[in-house]
Amino acid sequence: MALIDLANPTRFLAWSGRVLPWLAAVAVAVLACGLWLAFQAPADYQQGETVKIMYIHVPFAWLAMFGYSMMAASALGILVWRHPLADVAHKAAAPIGATFTFLCLVTGALWGRPMWGTYWVWDARLTSVLILLLLYLGLMALRAAVDDPGRAGRAAAVLTLVGAINLPIVKFSVDWWNTLHQPASVFRMDGPTIDPAMLWPLLTCAAGFTLLFLALHMLAMRTEILRRRVEVLEARAAAEAIA
Amino acid sequence: MMSHAAFIAAAYGVAALGLLGLTLALLLDNRAQKRALADLEARGVRRRSERRVP
């Protein structure tokens, strides 16, 4: 079966119904393993035990950007191919991405207070992630404000692509500006600067949270397809009642 | 002044609450849509592709 054949709501429901329980189970298992490794990992020589916050904060930050990248790819699917499943994927990703971005900000604040002496500073990294959260919330509000789902989807897709300019700003803000936030220490041209004793638990946690994100997104997509079917059937039932 | 352990506990607690809340909201929404669809189908309202040809 070609990949494009799966991009059909009915086939997606059948396929995802079989995959979702396994994906969720693997996500929970990998995440549990990652968190266990995180609590076995040594304390940082400067930060002490507060480095434990890294094992959740960093995956939340990565997935905040991953979620928005996924929405930007879906936005292209909406505007270029007008594919209904792209619209479903776009709409379903927004609340999940918003939650991960919110958790990134909160866990970052709770890590910042003991390390920097403050919960928040208006520096480039923190501010650009706050803008990312506002973009997610704005996209959800835009969809809720426009009655016609087709117009809402296209408007949200355009806004998503405009907002995608924020992604490289989030990523490179620590290099372009003088910020309180530390520079990248995993995805670097010269390789990670974290000790393997901390890197592997971090990567395992990141894999677990990524699988969880994908499982939640699949569930939300299934729900959105069902919601659209309910809306169509309710409209038909109302039309038949009038006739 | 909170101890470092309290900051770690707060971060993990907020993360657990946020993820559990999101999962619960998504599961409840899914259940509500399934129920609404089953209700409509029980009333005989079906998609065109599922209607029987007489």
Side-chain angles (χ1 to χ4, degrees), chain A residues 16-52:
Chain A
S16 62
R18 290 192 296 273
V19 170
L20 185 54
W22 293 99
L23 182 60
V26 172
V28 171
V30 174
L31 192 53
C33 182
L35 292 174
W36 183 81
L37 288 173
F39 278 85
Q40 302 302 312
D44 183 74
Y45 80 104
Q46 279 185 321
Q47 304 186 35
E49 291 295 339
T50 56
V51 77
K52 296 276 182 280

Side-chain angles (χ1 to χ4, degrees), chain B residues 14-45:
Chain B
V14 168
L17 272 179
L19 291 178
L20 284 175
L22 174 68
T23 306
L24 195 65
L26 292 177
L27 284 172
L28 288 175
D29 191 17
N30 184 265
R31 202 168 70 169
Q33 299 309 320
K34 275 183 181 167
R35 195 173 291 170
L37 195 60
D39 193 40
L40 282 160
E41 285 175 352
R43 284 162 44 198
V45 186

Side-chain angles (χ1 to χ4, degrees), chain A residues 35 39 49-50 52-53 55-56 60 99-100 103 106-107 110 113-114 119 209 216 219 223 226-227 229-230 233-234 236-237 240, chain B residues 1-2 4 7-8 10-12 14-15 18-19 22-23 26-27 29-30 33-34 36-37 40-41 43 45-48 50-51:
Chain A
L35 292 174
F39 278 85
E49 291 295 339
T50 56
K52 296 276 182 280
I53 298 175
Y55 301 107
I56 53 173
F60 287 151
T99 304
F100 276 75
L103 292 177
V106 173
T107 53
L110 288 166
R113 182 68 182 90
Y119 288 105
F209 279 119
L216 291 174
L219 173 66
T223 306
L226 294 179
R227 188 189 334 277
R229 287 189 176 174
V230 167
L233 291 186
E234 279 177 344
R236 184 168 301 153
E240 284 173 2
Chain B
M1 179 72 183
M2 284 165 74
H4 286 188
F7 284 105
I8 297 166
Y12 276 80
V14 168
L19 291 178
L22 174 68
T23 306
L26 292 177
L27 284 172
D29 191 17
N30 184 265
Q33 299 309 320
K34 275 183 181 167
L37 195 60
L40 282 160
E41 285 175 352
R43 284 162 44 198
V45 186
R46 288 182 183 275
R47 297 167 68 217
R48 282 198 194 98
E50 290 172 351
R51 284 181 176 172

